[in-house]
Structures are given as structure tokens and as C-alpha cells.
Amino acid sequence: MPAAFPTVRTPSGAVPADAPAWNPQRPSSMPSHRYRPAHERVPLPLTDRTWPSRRIERAPLWVPVDLRDGNQALAEPMDTARKRRMFDLQVAMGYKEIEVGYPSASQTDFDFVRHLAERDDLPDDVTVSVFTAARADLVDRTVESIRGLPRALVHLYTATAPVWRDVVLGRSRAEVHRLVLDAAEHLLRRVGDRPGVRFEFSPEVFNLTEPDYVLEVCDSVTELWDASPDRPVVHNLPATVEIATPNVYADQIEHMDRHLARRDSVILSVHPHNDRGTGVACAELAVLAGAQRVEGCLFGNGERTGNVDLVTLALNLHSQGVDPMVDFSDVDTVREVVEHCNRLPVHPRHPYVGDLVHTAFSGTHQDAIAKGLARHAKKAAELGVPPEAAPWEVPYLPIDPGDIGRTYEEVIRINSQSGKGGIAHLLRTHHGLDLPQALRPDFSGAVQRVTDATGSELTHEELWELFRTTYVDPGAEGWVTADSWSTAETSPGVHRFTCRLRVDGVERSCEGTGNGPLSALADVLRGIGVVVDVLDYSEHSTTTGPGSHAAAYARCEVDGELSWGCGWDTSVLTASVNAVLAAVNRAKGVES
């Protein structure tokens, strides 16, 4: 017999003495004492922060680094054809600065930069960015790769954090500073005053580097490159490995925003990674803190847990009424290209874009969404605008799926968790059925029995098939059926129903009267021993135009038992007769 719990180490230490009575959690066996919190690893000088009271009111400059940082994290790096497809997608989406490779690191990257330089169709306003370590020979190779590009940004980097200085570079603060200046000066000599070429510097692992040291290095590079408002330098401050909550990164960025020299000649950029799962929050708070530029990848690809996700960032702005300045109106095409180039799938729960993110299975969610969509359509009509132009306020859907090229078909899906509101929404949307409120719980029970038994979800086609066999078919196949019938008003308020019935396989000619066709039918049924009282009745057209089917719904008391039936026919009267017969047959327990 399997154990009650998995065989892991269940925390078993003493409950901390200061823990409240409602929290019985015990210490785990993991050695958390081995790790130092951020405030013990790097000075955090900002105490009078102002970023929490700011708002993001315009998009920063987005810089996709899929072709460099994202590419170096792939098990199978992109070849030129895949890089070209990714680059062309990003240009088409509206990105104006794109990091395309590390040309000194591989021949493939070098060749791709040359491929772009030799094209004659690069838009005039798109800048190609290339990445290089701070070493003279690598700078030379990088500068060679951009020859002929009308607009280029050379991105120079060196790790500056203490652990990297000590373990990786084996150099002191002064020696690393000198290394940076030597490379920056060499780059300046190689490029000279070539028009269209600008510079970027990244103190790698900025978030673990002493703030005074980062300012010292960045300011000296700004001066060396003689940055000016018409030829600004980019200082990119990476959270190369996330080590703290996003507010700490925001404090670090605001500190730099306040103290960088020649601030009007510096573009303050950030490059968050996602090691703590908060890359998006880090980027957003950094923009509040003064960042003007954000580097990241589409859907967050990158080493370890990835780079910050530019898709989520952009659509977060869109959801706040701020134009992201890049286009995701056909997000499925964007996803298809990125998945092809990266050979990695996008998770079905990925914000905004995953296959399931606009989908509700829960009954309460479905009911709220269905009501919200109905109210949205009504408000759009009242405003005299199409639904896609009306202000959006629908429960559980932060943006209109139509904004990014999605349809409403995937919004509500039916499984064992679903409820009557979502079921009714799908039947109305796809099949024109407007189920009466009192019928919805009855059909929901039928759906629940099927989904519980199969463990699968139902498509809207399967939902209609279940509804038809449950409520419509019993009107034509069951204990009592009408082979032929006619009705006439013999005098004001008096209707006669004449028919040939097949009752339990035996044909009978019958006739009844009442104050309407259905009451006359009920009189016929009493004549064969079935007491029927039509308690509720409604009908509607399922579509518009000639030949449209009508749906009729009848809630009947049949020999003391409540039963629903539905009729479906181009004739409203025929649909109503079939609805009553279906209710009778269902009550008799002879469903088709």
C-alpha cells in the first residue's frame, strides 16, 4: 500500500517560539544559513526613494536580445536563416534597436552581422546592436563585423561585481576599471567619428556591484566617449543574477539615475534576468525608478531561468492604457516564429499568450465572463461603436483577447469544473441557443455526469450533441410520438388538436381541445392517460433570415414529475409540440 505522503524530508524541528498559534510551520532541513541576504552582499544607499509614487505613462525603448543573449542560451543556437526570420519579425513588430549577436564569439554570429550589413532593405530607423567583451582583439573583430551598417551600437561589457572580480577576472577594483577604460578607448580609436555608430557599456552583475564603484566606472566611460545629447551613451545596468526583491533593484536604479554624470547624455538601460521569478517586476519598477530602455527576450528565453519577457512587459502596459509601441495584434504568429527559431515551446499558461490564459473552466469564472461579454456588447451598442472599440471591463479577462488576434472560442471551455453559465454561453455563441435560466442547472447536471465519467473536456460541438440527444431527440423518438398532426382555432379562444399518435408502439387517432395549441395537445395526452401541465414555455429564433430554425423550451409537470424538453424546427409551432413531447418522453424515462 502506498505511503500517505511522498518520501521527502518533512520539516520536523521545533516550531519557532515567536510563531503565532495559527502558524505551525517547522524549520526545514535545507541549509538556508549558507546564503547571505542582498543587504549583506552589496551596499544599498538609497533611503529617500521616490519611485513608488510614480506611474509608467509611456513605453521605454525596448531592445530585444533574442539573437544574442537568448541565442547563447539555446541548446541548438540559431543558424542564419532562423536569425533572419527572428530579426525580420522584430523589425515588423516595430522594434527600433535589436541586438543581433556576439560577432567575436562565433563565426555564425559574425556572418549574420555581415549578412545584415550587406542587405539593402534595412529600415533607416533601425539600429543594429553587437556585443563584445572588453578586450582589444574582440573589439577589433566586432568593429570589423559592422562595417557598412548605417546605424550600429557597439555594446561593451565587463563583470564588475566583487565575486566576479576576485574569482573570474582575478583583478582589483582599479585593475578592472583600467581594463574597461582601455577597451573603451580602443573601441573609440577603431570607430573614430564614423557616423551612425554609438556605444553602450554594461557593468555586468551591476546589482551585486558597489554603487560608488559603478558610478566611478560609468562616469569615466561617459567622459571618455564624450557623450552628448545628440550622441548619447547607453549605460546598461544588468541584474545578471537576481539576488533580491524587485524594490532593491529599483532603489539601485534610482540611485544611478540621480547621480550619473552628464545625465542628459546618458540613456539609462536595464537588463533583468529571472532567477527569482521576478524579472518582469524588476523591469517595471526600474522604469519607475528612471530607466529609459529595457533589454529582454520575446517570451523570456535566456540562460538559467531566462531574460525578462518583453511580451509580458509590453502587454502589461497595454492593459493599463499605455501604448507599448510594438505590435502584438497577431500574437499567435509572433509565438509561432519564436518557437520555430528557438526550438522551444511557449508554456500554455504564459501570460497573455499561452493557449490556456484566456480560458475559463471554472463555473463561477465562466458565468462572470459570459455576463461580462454580454454587458460589453450591450454597452458598445449603446455607445454606437463596434465591440472592439468599446472600453473593456470583463471579469477575469485583463485585456480583450481580440486585441492580440485571439477569438472568443477559447475563452470558455467545458470540463467537470464548469458551470451552467459557461455552458449556456457556448450554446448561445456557437449554436444560437438561449437556454432559459431554469433549464441551465438541469443541463449542467447532464454535462457534469459526462465529464466526470470521461475526465475530458467537451467541445462546443460535443456540447450541442449532448443537448440535442438529451432534450431534442426524445420529442421524435420515445414512448409517445406524433406521426401527423394539425391544429385549428375552431372559435375565438378554442383550439382543436388532431393527430395520429404512436403510443408505446401502437398507433392511435386522437383529438383534444384547449385555449391554445399546447393546451389542446395536453388534452390529447390526458386522453391516453398522461397528465401534462406546461409550467414554463419560451421560444426564439436561432439565426436570422429565411429558413432559420426556432428553438422552443417547455418545462412540464408530467404525472407529477418535472421534466424539460426542447423542440428544434423551422416552424415555431412544430418546435413547441416537439418540446412538450420530449418533456413527456423524458419523464417516462425513455430518452433516446
Side-chain angles (χ1 to χ4, degrees):
M1 187 171 180
F5 299 101
T7 53
V8 298
R9 291 186 181 182
T10 300
S12 57
V15 175
D18 59 350
W22 48 262
N23 184 357
Q25 292 179 155
R26 299 173 182 273
S28 77
S29 61
M30 296 186 296
S32 300
H33 61 276
R34 299 176 59 211
Y35 304 96
R36 291 188 297 154
H39 66 271
E40 293 182 7
R41 302 179 68 186
V42 61
L44 304 175
L46 193 67
T47 58
D48 57 341
R49 60 193 58 80
T50 62
W51 61 262
S53 61
R54 300 178 190 172
R55 294 180 181 176
I56 301 177
E57 297 178 340
R58 62 180 299 173
L61 176 66
W62 307 114
V63 181
V65 296
D66 302 78
L67 296 171
R68 195 277 300 174
D69 203 355
N71 187 55
Q72 72 185 36
L74 297 175
E76 297 180 66
M78 292 179 246
D79 56 19
T80 295
R82 291 177 191 267
K83 280 200 162 200
R84 168 71 181 267
R85 189 175 182 191
M86 178 79 81
F87 179 83
D88 288 347
L89 169 73
Q90 293 174 346
V91 169
M93 293 173 67
Y95 290 106
K96 298 303 180 184
E97 195 170 296
I98 303 170
E99 192 166 89
V100 301
Y102 195 160
S104 64
S106 79
Q107 187 65 41
T108 301
D109 275 22
F110 183 90
D111 290 344
F112 182 68
V113 179
R114 295 308 308 148
H115 166 78
L116 294 178
E118 291 162 5
R119 286 174 57 176
D120 58 5
D121 59 347
L122 282 179
D124 293 338
D125 59 352
V126 171
T127 297
V128 170
S129 172
V130 289
F131 190 73
T132 181
R135 207 175 79 193
D137 59 326
L138 303 181
V139 169
D140 289 342
R141 180 71 166 163
T142 303
V143 172
E144 182 185 351
S145 74
I146 64 171
R147 179 174 34 86
L149 279 170
R151 296 169 63 92
L153 181 73
V154 181
H155 182 177
L156 186 74
Y157 84 96
T158 293
T160 54
V163 172
W164 275 255
R165 294 195 308 257
D166 298 341
V167 176
V168 181
L169 300 175
R171 302 193 186 199
S172 66
R173 279 178 50 144
E175 288 171 331
V176 171
H177 192 170
R178 186 70 259 165
L179 180 152
V180 171
L181 289 180
D182 286 347
E185 187 174 15
H186 184 74
L187 173 60
L188 184 62
R189 284 197 304 269
R190 286 300 314 271
V191 172
D193 59 356
R194 186 187 303 179
V197 179
R198 294 187 296 110
F199 304 131
E200 173 179 358
F201 172 64
S202 285
E204 191 77 1
V205 209
F206 153 79
N207 57 324
L208 269 173
T209 304
E210 307 93 329
D212 65 311
Y213 183 57
V214 176
L215 279 170
E216 176 187 325
V217 174
C218 286
D219 286 348
S220 63
V221 170
T222 301
E223 182 179 358
L224 174 65
W225 283 339
D226 194 21
S228 63
D230 60 347
R231 196 183 185 188
V233 62
V234 176
H235 281 312
N236 185 54
L237 308 177
T240 308
V241 180
E242 274 196 309
I243 54 96
T245 50
N247 60 295
V248 172
Y249 189 51
D251 283 353
Q252 293 173 316
I253 297 302
E254 183 171 345
H255 178 76
M256 295 295 290
D257 179 46
R258 293 186 190 182
H259 294 101
L260 280 167
R262 300 197 196 186
R263 185 64 186 86
D264 62 347
S265 302
V266 172
I267 300 168
L268 182 54
S269 176
V270 292
H271 183 117
H273 278 251
N274 200 43
D275 299 87
R276 292 168 54 91
T278 58
V280 166
C282 279
E284 291 181 324
L285 298 193
V287 171
L288 289 175
Q292 302 155 290
R293 179 181 182 272
V294 176
E295 296 184 353
C297 290
L298 297 176
F299 307 110
N301 177 50
E303 291 179 297
R304 303 182 310 282
T305 56
N307 290 284
V308 70
D309 175 14
L310 295 185
V311 178
T312 300
L313 284 171
L315 292 176
N316 280 355
L317 282 187
H318 175 68
S319 75
Q320 298 300 303
V322 177
D323 189 339
M325 308 298 283
V326 283
D327 194 89
F328 287 98
S329 59
D330 185 5
V331 78
D332 286 334
T333 294
V334 174
R335 187 180 72 171
E336 177 189 347
V337 172
V338 175
E339 287 181 328
H340 167 78
C341 294
N342 287 343
R343 298 180 177 92
L344 291 173
V346 171
H347 195 281
R349 296 290 182 191
H350 189 286
Y352 300 108
V353 178
D355 285 335
L356 297 178
V357 297
H358 298 116
T359 298
F361 292 104
S362 161
T364 53
H365 289 204
Q366 291 175 343
D367 184 60
I369 290 171
K371 290 175 178 175
L373 290 173
R375 191 184 74 162
H376 178 74
K378 181 181 178 182
K379 288 180 67 175
E382 291 170 352
L383 293 170
V385 298
E388 61 269 19
W392 183 257
E393 285 186 338
V394 174
Y396 297 110
L397 295 177
I399 67 169
D400 183 347
D403 290 351
I404 56 174
R406 293 285 177 85
T407 69
Y408 295 113
E409 292 185 5
E410 58 270 308
V411 170
I412 291 178
R413 289 164 59 175
I414 304 301
N415 66 9
S416 60
Q417 303 298 309
S418 305
K420 56 185 183 295
I423 292 166
H425 173 79
L426 286 186
L427 287 177
R428 180 174 61 251
T429 301
H430 296 284
H431 303 284
L433 291 177
D434 190 7
L435 269 58
Q437 288 289 341
L439 172 55
R440 296 179 185 186
D442 192 83
F443 183 47
S444 177
V447 172
Q448 185 83 32
R449 287 189 290 275
V450 171
T451 53
D452 278 344
T454 63
S456 302
E457 67 174 291
L458 296 180
T459 66
H460 68 84
E461 295 92 350
E462 292 169 331
L463 202 62
W464 158 245
E465 182 68 12
L466 178 61
F467 182 84
R468 183 183 61 77
T469 57
T470 303
Y471 297 99
V472 179
D473 289 357
E477 302 173 7
W479 179 75
V480 56
T481 58
D483 290 345
S484 62
W485 57 269
S486 63
T487 183
E489 187 173 12
T490 57
S491 60
V494 178
H495 292 255
R496 175 179 291 123
F497 195 97
T498 306
C499 59
R500 288 186 61 79
L501 298 182
R502 187 176 298 274
V503 182
D504 203 14
V506 179
E507 288 191 11
R508 296 177 59 169
S509 296
C510 304
E511 185 176 293
T513 58
N515 60 8
L518 294 188
S519 63
L521 172 59
D523 188 44
V524 168
L525 294 170
R526 277 192 293 273
I528 62 171
V530 181
V531 180
V532 179
D533 188 8
V534 180
L535 304 177
D536 294 300
Y537 173 80
S538 62
E539 63 189 39
H540 65 81
S541 177
T542 58
T543 57
T544 59
S548 171
H549 277 80
Y553 311 92
R555 180 171 173 262
C556 303
E557 185 175 347
V558 182
D559 292 339
E561 180 181 344
L562 294 178
S563 178
W564 276 97
C566 178
W568 173 272
D569 200 88
T570 53
S571 162
V572 174
L573 182 57
T574 300
S576 67
V577 169
N578 290 342
V580 172
L581 292 176
V584 170
N585 285 328
R586 294 186 71 241
K588 288 289 187 179
V590 193
E591 298 183 26
S592 62

